[in-house]
Amino acid sequence: MDGGGAMEADPFHNAKEDEHMDAQTFKAGKMKMIQPDSLKDPKLDKLKEQVLLGWINESLKAEHIVVQSVEEDLYDGLVLHHLLARFAGVHLTLEEMALTASAQIRKLEAVLEELDKRLEQQDTKWEVSLIHKKDLLATLHLLVAMVTRFQPEVELPSNVKVQVVVLEVSRTGIQSDVQTEVLTEDRGDNAQEVSDTNDPMEQLMEMETMLNFVNKTMAGVGLQVSDLDQQFSDGVILLLLIGQLEGFFIPLSDFRLTPDSHEHRLHNVSLALSLLADLGLQVSAVQAQDVVSQDVAGTLKVLYALFRKHGG
C-alpha cells in the first residue's frame, strides 16, 4: 500500500495489496490497522474463518445467503440487515441490494443504528465508514459483539489479541504507535467447553462423560453406544438422540435410517447440525464432514452442545 512520499518508512508495505490509502485516510484523526504478523495468528484465523464465518452462514442458511469473507461481504449492509432481522426481529424498510456507495452507507447507517441499540456497547469499536471500507478490525469487533449478544452459547476462541498500528494524523505529520487490541475475552481456567487438546487422557475423560450421557438418554429406547466416533459417524444415533432430548420425532423420510453411502451419511449429519442450529445450539468450527470422517474432537463438540443443555 502506498503511504505517500512524506513518510520515511511505510508501515503498511507488507499489508494486502488490495487495500488502498485514499485521501480520506490522511484527514486529521486516528486510524488502526492490523499488523501483517497478527493476520497469520492461528487463533485469529479460527475466529474469522471458522467461527464467525460459520456462524453467519449457519444463521442465514434458510435464506440461501452464503458469505465467503467477513471482510469483503459485509460492507454493503445486506448481510448485517438479514442478521438483524434473524436475531432481533427487526425488519427495516430498505432496498435489498444497495448498488451505489451512497445507498450502501445509508443502509449501513440504518442497520448499525438498530444494532447499536441492542448491543449496548459503551465504547463501540466500529462505525459506518469503517464497515463500508471493509476494515477488518472494526468488522471483527462488530461480529464478536453480535455473537456474544445474540448467541452467547457459541464458543468463541478465548483471548484472541492482535497487534495494531495506530496512526494519528495531524497538520504536523503522521505519528504511529503499535498497540495490542483484544478481540475476545480470556475465559481462563473456568471455561466449560470441550478442549481441543490432543492429550489422550483428557480425550478419554471427555469421551467417557459423553458416553454416559448418551447411554443414559438412549436407555429408554434400548440403544447402547460404545464407540462415539464410529457409531455417530452416520448421523442416525445423533438424530435419534436429538429427538429424544428435545421431545420431537424426526420423520423417517427426512433421513436415511440405514445409510449405505458417504452421501447418505453426510446428509444425516448435516441435518443433525441444522437441527442443532435451529434449536440455538450452535456448534462452532465443526462441519458435517468432521463427524462423518470420525473426527473425535468434532464429534465431542457436537455432543457437548447437547450435554451442556440437557446433562450439565
Side-chain angles (χ1 to χ4, degrees):
M1 179 176 298
D2 185 5
M7 297 177 62
E8 294 182 2
D10 182 359
F12 299 108
H13 73 280
N14 287 323
K16 294 187 300 181
E17 293 180 359
D18 61 348
E19 290 181 349
H20 300 286
M21 295 178 68
D22 54 25
Q24 287 292 112
T25 300
F26 289 97
K27 287 188 175 181
K30 288 185 179 181
M31 66 169 293
K32 296 180 180 180
M33 187 171 182
I34 301 176
Q35 282 198 316
D37 286 346
S38 284
L39 292 172
K40 302 173 185 177
D41 186 342
K43 291 178 70 174
L44 176 63
D45 186 69
K46 180 178 180 180
L47 174 68
K48 179 167 67 93
E49 301 296 338
Q50 296 183 40
V51 180
L52 295 177
L53 193 62
W55 174 72
I56 294 172
N57 286 326
E58 280 294 328
S59 300
L60 301 181
K61 180 188 292 185
E63 299 172 61
H64 306 290
I65 294 175
V66 178
V67 173
Q68 301 291 337
S69 166
V70 298
E71 190 173 5
E72 297 291 332
D73 295 348
L74 274 64
Y75 75 99
D76 61 357
L78 185 147
V79 171
L80 291 173
H81 187 201
H82 280 268
L83 289 171
L84 175 66
R86 165 78 169 80
F87 290 106
V90 176
H91 300 270
L92 300 174
T93 306
L94 298 168
E95 54 189 314
E96 179 70 4
M97 300 293 293
L99 300 180
T100 66
S102 58
Q104 292 162 359
I105 290 172
R106 285 196 303 270
K107 186 169 186 174
L108 278 171
E109 286 174 342
V111 171
L112 287 181
E113 181 180 359
E114 293 297 325
L115 278 174
D116 288 345
K117 291 177 185 177
R118 289 155 180 82
L119 297 178
E120 299 177 347
Q121 298 280 312
Q122 292 183 345
D123 180 24
T124 57
K125 297 182 179 180
W126 58 85
E127 57 188 47
V128 171
S129 62
L130 292 176
I131 301 300
H132 188 253
K133 289 179 181 179
K134 305 179 184 180
D135 183 280
L136 177 58
L137 186 62
T139 303
L140 289 175
H141 276 304
L142 173 59
L143 290 174
V144 167
M146 291 175 68
V147 171
T148 303
R149 171 64 178 85
F150 296 129
Q151 280 197 295
E153 69 274 13
V154 173
E155 297 172 9
L156 296 172
S158 175
N159 198 28
V160 180
K161 301 178 181 179
V162 291
Q163 297 294 308
V164 297
V165 177
V166 181
L167 288 183
E168 186 168 4
V169 184
S170 66
R171 292 181 179 179
T172 59
I174 301 175
Q175 293 183 327
S176 64
D177 187 22
V178 177
Q179 299 177 1
T180 299
E181 188 130 350
V182 177
L183 290 170
T184 65
E185 295 180 358
D186 186 353
R187 294 191 300 267
D189 296 329
N190 296 322
Q192 294 185 341
E193 61 176 306
V194 173
S195 69
D196 290 318
T197 180
N198 291 319
D199 187 324
M201 287 303 297
E202 288 195 27
Q203 280 201 343
L204 282 173
M205 292 174 64
E206 291 166 357
M207 290 178 71
E208 183 178 357
T209 300
M210 293 303 106
L211 273 173
N212 290 337
F213 166 64
V214 171
N215 286 325
K216 180 180 179 181
T217 303
M218 303 304 289
V221 294
L223 282 177
Q224 186 76 15
V225 175
S226 59
D227 189 333
L228 281 181
D229 48 347
Q230 183 174 355
Q231 289 183 261
F232 275 83
S233 64
D234 64 7
V236 175
I237 294 180
L238 180 56
L239 286 167
L240 296 176
L241 178 66
I242 293 171
Q244 187 78 358
L245 287 168
E246 297 293 337
F248 58 75
F249 176 74
I250 303 172
L252 296 178
S253 58
D254 287 355
F255 69 101
R256 300 279 183 164
L257 189 59
T258 55
D260 56 7
S261 69
H262 177 80
E263 181 181 1
H264 292 166
R265 292 189 287 272
L266 196 62
H267 168 80
N268 284 354
V269 177
S270 296
L271 174 61
L273 294 181
S274 178
L275 288 172
L276 290 178
D278 291 343
L279 292 166
L281 302 177
Q282 192 80 22
V283 183
S284 62
V286 177
Q287 305 295 323
Q289 179 59 41
D290 298 334
V291 179
V292 172
S293 62
Q294 301 183 20
D295 177 78
V296 176
T299 303
L300 284 172
K301 284 186 177 181
V302 173
L303 293 175
Y304 188 76
L306 290 164
F307 174 77
R308 185 164 51 182
K309 179 178 180 181
H310 296 282

